[in-house]
């Protein structure tokens, strides 16, 4: 089940597990995925950037999961529909640890392209890889369908 409008809960869960700091992603927007009432995946959308004319340019996605059951077309449509359709950004970005080949392989399968290498980018001195995806490259945004994510009385609703 997709979880909208619970940013504090989802962001604290991601930040605590991924960065060992519950406030690391403070101020971001999130989408969570629950199974049996427990979070199994969370995506934080942070570092939103605009062009000089104030139109949307890009956003970073931080993905954390503890269970593969979240990864299906419906959920991926929502997770990528939010930045590309709702926000109207042209690209999304992600970072991964150079040491974590499984994450790199996963990002490739999602459709991200390796774009850069960052030396000592993490607090522990680990190098990072930067990944990007353009809206035109995203296979998860449904062709011909609009995904609308709107806030209605603090409850996010996805329609397509």
């Amino acid at each position: 089940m997709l979880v909208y409008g619970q940013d504090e809960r989802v962001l604290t869960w991601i930040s605590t597990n991924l960065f060992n700091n519950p406030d690391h992603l403070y101020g971001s927007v999130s989408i969570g995925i629950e199974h049996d009432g427990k979070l199994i995946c969370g995506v934080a959308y942070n570092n939103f950037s605009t062009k000089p004319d104030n139109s949307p340019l890009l956003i970073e996605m931080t993905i954390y999961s503890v269970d593969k059951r979240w990864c299906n077309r419906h959920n991926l449509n929502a997770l990528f529909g939010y930045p590309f359709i709702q926000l109207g950004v042209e690209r999304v970005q992600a970072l991964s640890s150079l040491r974590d080949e499984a994450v790199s392989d996963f990002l490739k399968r999602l459709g991200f392209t390796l774009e850069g290498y960052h030396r000592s980018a993490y607090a522990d001195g680990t190098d990072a890889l930067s990944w990007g995806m353009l809206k035109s490259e995203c296979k998860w945004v449904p062709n011909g369908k609009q995904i609308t994510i709107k806030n209605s009385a603090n409850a996010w609703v996805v329609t397509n």
Side-chain angles (χ1 to χ4, degrees):
M1 180 171 105
L2 291 164
V3 176
Y4 300 98
Q6 296 182 27
D7 292 337
E8 184 176 344
R9 174 182 171 225
V10 175
L11 295 170
T12 299
W13 181 77
I14 296 169
S15 295
T16 300
N17 287 290
L18 197 55
F19 303 106
N20 200 27
N21 174 354
D23 297 322
H24 185 81
L25 294 167
Y26 179 80
S28 301
V29 174
S30 70
I31 298 175
I33 300 171
E34 284 184 341
H35 183 75
D36 291 335
K38 293 185 180 180
L39 286 170
I40 61 169
C41 178
V43 178
Y45 301 91
N46 51 341
N47 296 325
F48 178 73
S49 297
T50 59
K51 297 177 192 175
D53 67 0
N54 238 10
S55 61
L57 177 60
L58 63 91
I59 199 163
E60 292 181 17
M61 293 174 71
T62 302
I63 304 169
Y64 177 74
S65 71
V66 294
D67 189 317
K68 294 180 181 181
R69 287 180 283 186
W70 74 269
C71 196
N72 60 55
R73 181 164 290 282
H74 171 75
N75 290 340
L76 290 167
N77 285 170
L79 297 178
F80 285 95
Y82 175 69
F84 287 129
I85 302 297
Q86 183 74 12
L87 297 180
V89 299
E90 296 177 12
R91 63 178 280 125
V92 294
Q93 300 178 161
L95 288 178
S96 69
S97 168
L98 178 65
R99 295 180 189 162
D100 199 336
E101 290 182 32
V103 170
S104 292
D105 290 342
F106 178 68
L107 290 171
K108 284 183 213 172
R109 286 194 312 274
L110 285 176
F112 283 88
T113 299
L114 180 62
E115 296 181 331
Y117 178 85
H118 307 273
R119 296 173 295 147
S120 298
Y122 291 108
D124 66 357
T126 303
D127 297 339
L129 300 174
S130 59
W131 301 83
M133 180 191 301
L134 302 177
K135 181 178 181 180
S136 62
E137 300 167 338
C138 183
K139 58 188 171 186
W140 307 111
V141 176
N143 294 331
K145 292 184 181 176
Q146 281 281 344
I147 293 179
T148 304
I149 302 175
K150 54 188 172 183
N151 188 340
S152 173
N154 294 324
W156 288 90
V157 178
V158 179
T159 59
N160 51 345

